[in-house]
Amino acid sequence: MDTRLLFLISCFIARLSFSLSASGELNSFESVPDLEKSMYTIVDGYPCVRLLNLSGEIGCSNPGHGKVAAPVVKFKNVNQLVEPSAILVSLDELDSLLARVSKDTNFASLVAGILVESGTPGGNNFKGFSPELKFPEAEFAPYQNKNFEWNPSGSGIMWKAYNFPVFLLSENSTLALLEAATKNEKSKKSYTSDVAEFGLVMQTTKSGTHDSESCLREETCLPLGGYSVWSALPPINTSTSQKSKPIILAVTSMDSASFFRDKSLGADSPISGLIALLAAVDALSHLNGLHLSKQLVFVVFTGEAWGFLGSRRFLLELDQHSDAVSGLDFTLIETVLEIGSVGKSFDQGVKKFFVHTTEAASISNQTLDALKRAQDSLKTENVKISVASKSNPGIPPSSLMMFLRKNPDSSGIVLEDFDTAFTNKFYHSHLDNLSNINASAIAAASSLVARSLYILASEKNEINDSVLTAISVNSSFIDELLGCLLDCEPGLSCDLVNQYISPSAACPSHYVGVIQGEPSSSPYPGYVGDVSRFLWNFLADKTSVPTENRSATCPKHCSGTGELCIRGETDGKGVCVISSTRHIIHLLHSSSIRRIGKDSWALNRKKMHSIRYVPAYSTRLKFESDMWKLLPTNSSDIMGAADPVWTESNWDTITLRVYSVQHASYDRLILLLGISVTVAAYIAIVITRSVIRKALKRD
């Protein structure tokens, strides 16, 4: 009886105390999400993800099948790790940390993850940050010297595999993690610590598929790729029997790379060149009565950062005379003018550019002469061009390399802002952003390109200074493009982009992406990247000629020869133009699904027959029976033999959060104390009951 009474009293007191303590909590937490929000801090960051090729894998991943959590510590305060830890490191220390990881296996085994602080390191000792190799994509070079250092700042860290997660933190998240690390340092004797939990679980790690062949077979990855775009000025009429003109090919690329997947801006390399070409096309489009003796063709490649996917596929399409390159012929390409990195040429008021030429001297000299004449016409702009040093082994890493691999006698030049080595100390780095380039340098390069192209495509006796002066680049247009393509505000939500497309996201990223679904000649437009769709519409508009259907909505009324429907996304109507603009699909982009219905696309796709898509991917891959298969090497395809066949691992959701936990030793102590209290209470109850019974017997 007394034992039951004591038990009931104890339960009542416990219930009362819990109710009192929980009443305040209930006022604050009205739902489980509210409770989780108070417990966990979601961290904004950009992950390094797992990529694979035929030889193995690179990039980052959790080591197992689940999330990883570890206390946050600062690298500069760590000599030895005594437990698995999430290391907070500044960017200028990242190379040394990863070097230590590769050399010290004991240290590496205790690295649960790495958190990289945001911001650009200062100080005179910081020589730059480029996770690329010192000779990017050297295996594709058309010359023997593969040890030349085009990229002196290159560390090569992005080409190694790490069996732990690595995140680049945002500015606000950096402050939060610094606070957590500082708190852990001050409370070493405390019973709690702040931990970072990494959710970077890659499907290839879970399935044990550690190269492209095995992961494609097990369907745990997808190939890299995107869309290339080409256009002609004036449009090429493929229905006429007139003799085709020699082609002046102006090329650049749109994709970049980075150690951190979604932080690939590539401001100087290659977006400065892309913007220069777009501004040049815009300037040429304003010339009235443009009559050229040669055909101008503009090509914007993608996938160039990953084995020159875009240019290699373009050349293959030319060999196959596919519909995607209808009107083009490789034998008609007289010269290639490639616009590379041009955003850092501003030096003491002078915009200085370097011309890297191929060995096809006669035609290359004509291109160089055209550039010099264009330079002379820009007398007040302080523009200077120089031929690159003869000590260079050849042209720098560029799309032109692929033309030389196909035909060593190809003529062409690459316009760059460097001579013997990259001036961009942040090549293929997240720091190659808007602050790394100069708008006036891009404007100068654009003026050079526009006037040089006009000179190359015109009869000599038709060129005069007044016409060259009339080719004027719009500097405000360049400023607008910089904001659209290299910043989140306004980003792809800018007025210029919104004139042509409805972007899926505001913040631009120039990572190439992966394919989704089966390649098709008429793919669902929602799988096409924002930047590619913008370029397609923009070039189609600027290189078009008037059509009787210009005022008509499309695609319903856009059915004439060579007619295309542009700006259809913005209002659902669009306008018809005559243009040679085409997509060359190099695999579909993974992160840019437009918000339009597939049913609507299925209804309209037949009406948009003038827009042609050609699936393009590695020549070593074939899609059949709903899966990718690797083809054997072809000894006659030199570039195919060097193709690494890049793929990206699948994943569910990538997460990063911080929260406080109690130490295991404290938990064990609490458990021991609880057991002791329980035993003591039981003994007290037994003694008390015995005393009470004796007292009752005496009475």
Side-chain angles (χ1 to χ4, degrees):
M1 179 73 180
D2 49 17
T3 303
R4 187 181 299 115
L5 178 62
L6 182 61
F7 175 75
L8 292 174
I9 293 173
S10 300
C11 289
F12 174 76
I13 294 173
R15 176 73 177 177
L16 180 62
S17 62
F18 175 80
S19 300
L20 290 174
S21 63
S23 60
E25 302 274 341
L26 291 174
N27 291 332
S28 302
F29 308 126
E30 298 180 355
S31 64
V32 172
D34 286 340
L35 179 60
E36 288 185 345
K37 189 175 180 180
S38 70
M39 294 172 61
Y40 303 105
T41 300
I42 304 300
V43 178
D44 295 327
Y46 306 91
C48 157
V49 301
R50 177 71 80 217
L51 298 176
L52 307 95
N53 58 28
L54 296 178
S55 302
E57 54 191 5
I58 66 170
C60 314
S61 172
N62 278 18
H65 294 193
K67 297 180 179 180
V68 174
V72 182
V73 298
K74 295 179 183 177
F75 176 58
K76 63 181 179 181
N77 296 336
V78 173
N79 291 322
Q80 293 294 330
L81 296 176
V82 295
E83 62 177 339
S85 303
I87 301 178
L88 180 64
V89 62
S90 61
L91 187 64
D92 55 344
E93 297 174 314
L94 180 59
D95 285 352
S96 60
L97 170 56
L98 293 177
R100 183 175 177 183
V101 165
S102 63
K103 295 177 182 178
D104 188 343
T105 55
N106 291 331
F107 180 82
S109 65
L110 294 175
V111 176
I114 294 177
L115 302 162
V116 183
E117 299 173 16
S118 66
T120 304
N124 297 327
N125 294 328
F126 185 63
K127 298 180 180 180
F129 176 75
S130 173
E132 253 290 2
L133 299 170
K134 294 187 182 297
F135 191 154
E137 303 187 282
E139 62 271 23
F140 291 98
Y143 43 82
Q144 296 300 317
N145 186 355
K146 306 297 175 68
N147 296 318
F148 191 80
E149 294 189 3
W150 288 107
N151 183 29
S153 299
S155 63
I157 62 172
M158 68 180 284
W159 299 102
K160 298 178 181 178
Y162 305 99
N163 291 320
F164 48 78
V166 182
F167 279 80
L168 173 68
L169 302 173
S170 66
E171 186 174 344
N172 290 335
S173 295
T174 296
L175 296 176
L177 268 298
L178 282 170
E179 181 180 346
T182 302
K183 178 181 175 183
N184 287 341
E185 288 177 3
K186 293 180 178 179
S187 58
K188 288 183 178 180
K189 296 182 180 180
S190 176
Y191 56 85
T192 64
S193 62
D194 286 1
V195 302
E197 182 187 81
F198 301 91
L200 192 69
V201 181
M202 299 285 110
Q203 291 293 334
T204 52
T205 302
K206 292 173 67 176
S207 64
T209 51
H210 300 300
D211 57 59
S212 288
E213 183 176 6
S214 61
C215 75
L216 288 171
R217 183 173 58 248
E218 298 298 325
E219 300 182 78
T220 58
C221 65
L222 289 172
L224 296 186
Y227 281 91
S228 291
V229 181
W230 74 268
S231 188
L233 182 69
I236 298 173
N237 187 353
T238 57
S239 63
T240 182
S241 59
Q242 289 182 340
K243 184 180 179 180
S244 299
K245 300 177 182 179
I247 294 173
I248 307 298
L249 200 65
V251 307
T252 190
S253 58
M254 70 172 93
D255 75 295
S256 185
S258 169
F259 189 69
F260 306 102
R261 181 188 189 273
D262 298 317
K263 202 67 172 173
S264 302
L265 287 174
D268 185 44
S269 310
I271 302 302
S272 64
L274 170 62
I275 293 175
L277 180 61
L278 296 182
V281 173
D282 177 65
L284 290 169
S285 71
H286 289 95
L287 290 180
N288 295 322
L290 186 65
H291 299 288
L292 302 174
S293 61
K294 298 176 183 178
Q295 181 68 57
L296 288 179
V297 176
F298 312 104
V299 189
V300 183
F301 294 124
T302 194
E304 297 301 89
W306 302 97
F308 296 107
L309 175 64
S311 51
R312 289 197 295 117
R313 187 62 197 182
F314 179 77
L315 292 172
L316 178 60
E317 296 296 324
L318 287 174
D319 280 346
Q320 297 175 343
H321 303 286
S322 74
D323 190 52
V325 291
S326 177
L328 300 182
D329 188 331
F330 182 80
T331 61
L332 292 176
I333 298 176
E334 186 174 280
T335 190
V336 178
L337 194 164
E338 180 168 357
I339 306 95
S341 304
V342 294
K344 296 182 71 64
S345 62
F346 193 80
D347 183 22
Q348 297 180 347
V350 178
K351 296 96 172 180
K352 190 172 183 179
F353 301 95
F354 293 90
V355 179
H356 300 258
T357 66
T358 62
E359 294 180 359
S362 59
I363 302 297
S364 295
N365 286 341
Q366 291 180 21
T367 307
L368 183 58
D369 290 341
L371 283 166
K372 288 183 176 179
R373 182 164 183 182
Q375 171 196 271
D376 294 339
S377 70
L378 296 166
K379 297 177 182 178
T380 61
E381 301 294 328
N382 289 327
V383 178
K384 182 180 180 181
I385 61 172
S386 302
V387 178
S389 173
K390 293 183 179 180
S391 64
N392 292 342
I395 61 173
S398 57
S399 302
L400 184 55
M401 279 184 169
M402 300 304 98
F403 287 81
L404 290 175
R405 290 295 296 267
K406 178 177 174 58
N407 179 11
D409 295 326
S410 295
S411 167
I413 67 103
V414 186
L415 187 67
E416 301 277 10
D417 56 16
F418 62 86
D419 183 3
T420 59
F422 297 169
T423 55
N424 182 9
K425 296 180 180 180
F426 305 126
Y427 182 79
H428 281 181
S429 158
H430 66 282
L431 296 179
D432 188 10
N433 54 30
L434 192 56
S435 65
N436 194 40
I437 55 176
N438 186 286
S440 62
I442 298 175
S446 182
S447 296
L448 272 177
V449 170
R451 298 186 183 191
S452 298
L453 290 174
Y454 178 79
I455 294 170
L456 288 168
S458 303
E459 295 289 351
K460 291 184 179 180
N461 57 3
E462 295 180 358
I463 303 171
N464 57 68
D465 291 340
S466 61
V467 176
L468 291 180
T469 304
I471 303 175
S472 178
V473 169
N474 186 345
S475 59
S476 297
F477 174 70
I478 290 176
D479 290 337
E480 188 173 9
L481 277 173
L482 289 171
C484 295
L485 298 178
L486 293 173
D487 203 353
C488 288
E489 295 180 3
L492 295 176
S493 297
C494 66
D495 293 338
L496 175 62
V497 173
N498 283 331
Q499 288 177 23
Y500 295 102
I501 68 167
S502 299
S504 61
C507 286
S509 177
H510 302 296
Y511 175 68
V512 64
V514 297
I515 191 170
Q516 289 193 104
E518 182 179 3
S520 169
S521 59
S522 301
Y524 168 52
Y527 293 153
V528 184
D530 289 340
V531 175
S532 290
R533 298 201 322 278
F534 163 66
L535 293 177
W536 189 92
N537 280 270
F538 174 83
L539 289 174
D541 186 22
K542 294 299 180 180
T543 61
S544 64
V545 296
T547 172
E548 295 179 358
N549 286 335
R550 181 80 186 190
S551 60
T553 60
C554 56
K556 183 177 181 180
H557 302 290
C558 189
S559 57
T561 302
E563 288 185 347
L564 302 174
C565 178
I566 64 171
R567 305 187 184 190
E569 293 182 39
T570 54
D571 57 7
K573 298 178 180 179
V575 294
C576 293
V577 297
I578 296 177
S579 176
S580 299
T581 305
R582 293 290 183 272
H583 271 115
I584 305 170
I585 303 176
H586 298 286
L587 306 182
L588 306 179
H589 199 287
S590 64
S591 60
S592 51
I593 301 176
R594 279 173 43 202
R595 286 166 284 187
I596 62 174
K598 289 187 178 181
D599 293 338
S600 299
W601 166 244
L603 290 172
N604 292 330
R605 57 192 287 182
K606 291 184 179 179
K607 300 174 184 177
M608 299 176 70
H609 56 79
S610 293
I611 302 178
R612 297 165 188 170
Y613 302 92
V614 179
Y617 38 90
S618 168
T619 54
R620 295 289 311 280
L621 292 178
K622 183 179 180 180
F623 191 87
E624 63 180 12
S625 302
D626 293 327
M627 66 181 300
W628 291 98
K629 295 184 179 179
L630 183 69
L631 300 176
T633 56
N634 185 346
S635 59
S636 62
D637 184 7
I638 299 175
M639 290 185 290
D643 187 352
V645 190
W646 286 109
T647 58
E648 182 185 88
S649 175
N650 299 336
W651 63 77
D652 292 327
T653 304
I654 294 177
T655 60
L656 177 62
R657 61 183 185 177
V658 176
Y659 53 90
S660 296
V661 296
Q662 294 179 161
H663 292 168
S665 57
Y666 178 77
D667 291 338
R668 288 191 290 269
L669 176 61
I670 294 299
L671 176 62
L672 181 61
L673 290 175
I675 293 173
S676 301
V677 169
T678 302
V679 172
Y682 178 77
I683 293 173
I685 290 172
V686 171
I687 294 173
T688 303
R689 184 175 59 182
S690 176
V691 171
I692 292 175
R693 283 179 176 175
K694 289 181 180 179
L696 290 174
K697 286 181 179 179
R698 289 173 186 167
D699 293 339

